[in-house]
Amino acid sequence: QSALTQPASVSGSPGQSITISCTGTSSDVGAYNLVSWYQQHPGKVPKLIIYEANKRPSGVSNRFSGSKSGNTASLTISGLQAEDEADYYCCSYAGSRTLVFGGGTKLTVL
Amino acid sequence: EVQLEQSGAEVKKPGESLKISCKGSGYSFTNDWIGWVRQMPGKGLEWMGIIYLGDSETRYSPSFQGQVTMSADKSLRTAYLQWSSLKATDTAIYYCVRHRLFCTRVVCRLDYCDSWGPGTLVTVSS
């Protein structure tokens, strides 16, 4: 059970859109639509921003959207704002009542 | 409102034992799956495993199987994570999380973590 693969870092300017990929296998991301995304600001507790690949919890900005194709899930943030600068983690169900996280992506807003 | 309260920070020596806790409030808790997530200093999130509060059934990530033990006391609405012999590499923040399930007519699968505890910092140093 290996960690899902995310880019170590991405960056964008305010107002732009960025996409963070999360690549797994046919045993986790590819097998289920049970991919979630979490945002973590430095020193803070992670916060759920996307679940079941493309659903947004109540209270999460609609600038955050998720998708999945094959073994790769993606998180898109549109209209980048300074407050979006944080670490982002994907997570997928991996069968047999286990989950696996991605390595995390550091988003820098230029 | 769902709240997960975790025990306070710990400083231990290598070889010592430790048990940290996670207490649920604001909802039933006793029919939920509670997970544990490790975050080593400056590193990412790692899913350790889960315990079902109803009957204490557990499932561990292969990376943590045999390294930690998860337990629960339903009457106290509390889940526990314990080590019998700590190592310096156990130094990390440990979060407890509430897992939601995705259920069809035939099966339920682990889904997202909708509530997180504040984390317990465990420092292991000689």
Side-chain angles (χ1 to χ4, degrees), chain A residues 34-55:
Chain A
L34 301 178
V35 176
S36 51
W37 289 88
Y38 303 86
Q39 176 193 59
Q40 186 181 34
H41 287 106
K44 302 296 186 183
V45 176
K47 172 190 172 185
L48 176 70
I49 55 173
I50 294 289
Y51 68 100
E52 291 170 16
N54 58 14
K55 298 178 182 176

Side-chain angles (χ1 to χ4, degrees), chain B residues 62-115:
Chain B
S63 300
F64 292 92
Q65 179 79 48
Q67 307 305 307
V68 295
T69 301
M70 297 175 191
S71 59
D73 186 326
K74 185 169 60 173
S75 66
L76 296 179
R77 301 153 70 94
T78 300
Y80 303 95
L81 180 66
Q82 69 182 87
W83 295 259
S84 58
S85 180
L86 286 160
K87 300 185 275 289
T89 51
D90 292 318
T91 295
I93 297 173
Y94 293 87
Y95 296 101
C96 66
V97 297
R98 184 179 77 163
H99 278 293
R100 307 305 283 170
L101 296 182
F102 178 84
C103 294
T104 65
R105 282 182 296 172
V106 296
V107 68
C108 284
R109 299 189 172 105
L110 288 180
D111 203 338
Y112 56 97
C113 308
D114 68 342
S115 296

Side-chain angles (χ1 to χ4, degrees), chain B residues 10-18 83-91 122-126:
Chain B
E10 302 273 1
V11 179
K12 292 289 189 179
K13 290 181 167 40
E16 291 186 332
S17 62
L18 175 64
W83 295 259
S84 58
S85 180
L86 286 160
K87 300 185 275 289
T89 51
D90 292 318
T91 295
V122 174
T123 303
V124 183
S125 175
S126 54

Side-chain angles (χ1 to χ4, degrees), chain B residues 3-89:
Chain B
Q3 284 198 341
L4 298 175
E5 303 164 18
Q6 296 190 237
S7 49
E10 302 273 1
V11 179
K12 292 289 189 179
K13 290 181 167 40
E16 291 186 332
S17 62
L18 175 64
K19 193 173 189 177
I20 63 175
S21 65
C22 169
K23 183 179 175 69
S25 63
Y27 72 111
S28 170
F29 198 74
T30 57
N31 293 317
D32 279 331
W33 290 87
I34 298 297
W36 292 92
V37 176
R38 182 175 79 174
Q39 188 165 38
M40 300 174 74
K43 301 298 184 182
L45 306 175
E46 299 173 272
W47 188 81
M48 301 175 70
I50 48 167
I51 184 165
Y52 178 56
L53 272 289
D55 63 6
S56 292
E57 177 184 348
T58 55
R59 186 62 63 107
Y60 296 91
S61 163
S63 300
F64 292 92
Q65 179 79 48
Q67 307 305 307
V68 295
T69 301
M70 297 175 191
S71 59
D73 186 326
K74 185 169 60 173
S75 66
L76 296 179
R77 301 153 70 94
T78 300
Y80 303 95
L81 180 66
Q82 69 182 87
W83 295 259
S84 58
S85 180
L86 286 160
K87 300 185 275 289
T89 51

